[in-house]
Amino acid sequence: MKYPNSILQFFSLLRAGLWNSEVDSGIFASSVNWKGLLLLANYQTVSGIVFDGLQQLKGIKCDRSTLMEWVGIVKRIEDTNLQLNHSLAYLVYRYKEAALNPVILKGQAVAGYYTNPLHRTSGDIDIYFSYGYSKANDVLKRFPGAKENEATIYHKSFNVGGISIENHLQFVDFYSLKNKKAWELALTAMDVEKYETQEFYGKNGKVVEVSVFSPQVNAIYLFLHLQHHLLQTGIGLRQVCDWACLWKSKEQEIDKELFLKVVDMLPVRRSMTALTWIVENHLGLSKGIIPLDTSTAQAREDGEFLLEDIMTGGNFGRGFGFMDGFIRNKHLHNLKTYMMAMKRMLKIRRLCPSEVDAYIRYWIQDKLSSLLR
């Protein structure tokens, strides 16, 4: 597929920011829409990383107005990350006081795999508890100003001081019963409770050790979380970059034979190969780091198909407009949203049909039962 020059420029800056490498300045010799590049970076929630790439561009300057706007955005990303890191350290300290072992999912833990962790656009704080989930919720309820949000079967969310915190009872789920059983076997094969630790600093400078999944588990988990959102609403490049940075940083700690064994236990090889094609051909990760064959015609076709979906939908598929006017539990009001989401899901079905089919059955049953109550 032939991509517009603006897209080539964008990916060139993104690669340079991810890996602290040189930019191919030749593609910037013609006209550059700097404002458009900034808007695209914001749309994909990779503004800080693309900004780092911009610093590697020699001899070509961004216009001052756009540059100053970009600098302001990056400063806010840095400040937010520092605030979240301090809050995370304090939160984990409080959970440990209650004899709990919180495990940080994605987010701030994944940032540690980046060349410049403070420039990864942050999100919520997500924490998994293999035991003591109800106790963890009680701990968080006692935080000053804590606001409880609606619970799901997966997690309970809170807002504390403007920060969204989710306590997770489970961190991965499948809609297909067959896939659920396969995941249970995969967890046993990977030894999910073999954690590693990262250090976070509280506002007082105190270091708190935080448990995160091992690279072996994260190589699967980060993809499954990404695929969950992909099949429902869509994903942006930030989540793709997370997975790429994990592999770049932790390849030597991942048993590739075990990784492939788990991949084949789950219905993910085709969708994962498509994502790997993007990671290699557009994000610049060296071939062979992820042990999947991307040389086939299907890998390229699926990869280009998936990239178009990512570039169109942006972060969590917001560009598709599914959620415009959406009101929770107002099913007749949301009929347009449901139809749009269903149409896209059928389009993306080819990458993981068993999960899409199972989700559609679950969704129809759930909405009908809600209407009949």
Side-chain angles (χ1 to χ4, degrees):
M1 180 184 296
K2 185 173 176 58
Y3 297 96
N5 206 47
S6 58
I7 297 298
L8 298 179
Q9 291 167 345
F10 168 77
F11 276 110
S12 181
L13 294 176
L14 180 58
R15 286 192 297 272
L18 282 172
W19 317 126
N20 193 28
S21 59
E22 293 184 3
V23 181
D24 178 6
S25 58
I27 60 174
F28 290 85
S30 58
S31 62
V32 182
N33 180 354
W34 294 109
K35 184 70 172 180
L37 286 174
L38 173 57
L39 290 173
L40 181 54
N42 285 339
Y43 189 61
Q44 295 292 339
T45 55
V46 290
S47 304
I49 311 305
V50 176
F51 179 81
D52 288 339
L54 190 60
Q55 308 314 299
Q56 305 295 328
L57 184 59
K58 310 300 181 186
I60 300 172
K61 301 294 183 183
C62 175
D63 69 85
R64 182 172 176 78
S65 174
T66 303
L67 182 61
M68 290 300 97
E69 183 181 356
W70 214 322
V71 167
I73 290 169
V74 174
K75 180 63 168 60
R76 288 193 292 275
I77 292 172
E78 292 174 343
D79 291 345
T80 301
N81 273 312
L82 287 171
Q83 181 188 11
L84 282 174
N85 288 345
H86 293 329
S87 298
L88 179 58
Y90 178 69
L91 186 61
V92 169
Y93 173 77
R94 290 291 300 274
Y95 282 139
K96 287 185 174 183
E97 270 191 330
L100 296 167
N101 181 35
V103 181
I104 306 307
L105 303 173
K106 51 194 178 64
Q108 299 310 103
V110 173
Y113 302 138
Y114 279 72
T115 301
N116 191 343
L118 289 181
H119 283 186
R120 176 191 180 273
T121 301
S122 58
D124 302 337
I125 293 178
D126 294 87
I127 308 175
Y128 166 67
F129 295 88
S130 59
Y131 62 88
Y133 170 73
S134 296
K135 186 176 182 180
N137 290 335
D138 290 339
V139 169
L140 205 49
K141 286 176 187 176
R142 293 195 292 270
F143 272 52
K147 179 185 175 183
E148 292 186 57
N149 298 318
E150 188 173 352
T152 72
I153 60 174
Y154 309 113
H155 59 72
K156 175 78 172 178
S157 64
F158 297 80
N159 187 287
V160 181
I163 297 174
S164 178
I165 301 167
E166 292 183 354
N167 286 340
H168 285 253
L169 177 63
Q170 59 187 89
F171 59 95
V172 166
D173 192 25
F174 288 92
Y175 289 98
S176 160
L177 182 59
K178 180 180 177 181
N179 296 340
K180 285 177 186 286
K181 292 178 178 177
W183 174 240
E184 290 172 4
L185 294 173
L187 287 175
T188 302
M190 291 187 294
D191 189 5
V192 69
E193 294 191 8
K194 187 178 179 181
Y195 306 122
E196 64 176 21
T197 59
Q198 293 183 9
E199 293 183 343
F200 285 83
Y201 291 82
K203 284 186 178 179
N204 58 3
K206 183 175 180 179
V207 177
V208 177
E209 286 199 342
V210 175
S211 294
V212 302
F213 285 138
S214 69
Q216 190 76 49
V217 174
N218 256 338
I220 296 293
Y221 164 64
L222 290 178
F223 176 82
L224 291 179
H225 178 261
L226 175 157
Q227 178 173 267
H228 176 80
H229 287 291
L230 168 68
L231 297 180
Q232 292 193 11
T233 57
I235 57 169
L237 283 172
R238 178 185 61 172
Q239 293 164 294
V240 184
C241 289
D242 286 351
W243 198 56
C245 287
L246 162 70
W247 277 100
K248 178 71 171 180
S249 176
K250 297 291 186 177
E251 179 195 6
Q252 299 305 317
E253 298 174 44
I254 299 172
D255 180 336
K256 293 184 180 181
E257 185 176 337
L258 175 58
F259 170 78
L260 289 175
K261 177 183 176 182
V262 172
V263 166
D264 287 331
M265 292 169 72
L266 303 169
V268 298
R269 182 174 280 263
R270 183 169 178 177
S271 54
M272 190 181 280
T273 301
L275 191 75
T276 303
W277 186 89
I278 295 172
V279 165
E280 292 175 351
N281 289 278
H282 292 277
L283 298 190
L285 190 71
S286 299
K287 293 182 186 295
I289 289 181
I290 302 173
L292 291 167
D293 180 11
T294 58
S295 64
T296 65
Q298 183 179 79
R300 180 184 182 90
E301 181 184 343
D302 287 345
E304 290 183 340
F305 166 78
L306 179 54
L307 182 62
E308 181 182 3
D309 188 82
I310 291 170
M311 298 304 289
T312 303
N315 191 45
F316 291 115
R318 288 173 184 146
F320 292 126
F322 296 158
M323 304 306 290
D324 294 349
F326 180 84
I327 302 175
R328 185 177 292 276
N329 295 324
K330 299 291 184 179
H331 301 307
L332 293 177
H333 172 86
N334 296 331
L335 194 58
K336 182 180 178 181
T337 293
Y338 297 153
M339 292 302 102
M340 290 174 66
M342 186 75 72
K343 182 179 179 181
R344 180 187 168 276
M345 200 171 290
L346 292 172
K347 178 184 174 184
I348 207 88
R349 177 185 180 275
R350 74 193 213 187
L351 295 179
C352 191
S354 64
E355 266 306 286
V356 170
D357 291 349
Y359 178 73
I360 290 174
R361 287 195 297 271
Y362 163 82
W363 180 85
I364 291 173
Q365 291 168 0
D366 180 66
K367 297 299 178 281
L368 285 176
S369 63
S370 296
L371 288 169
L372 294 173
R373 284 181 195 138

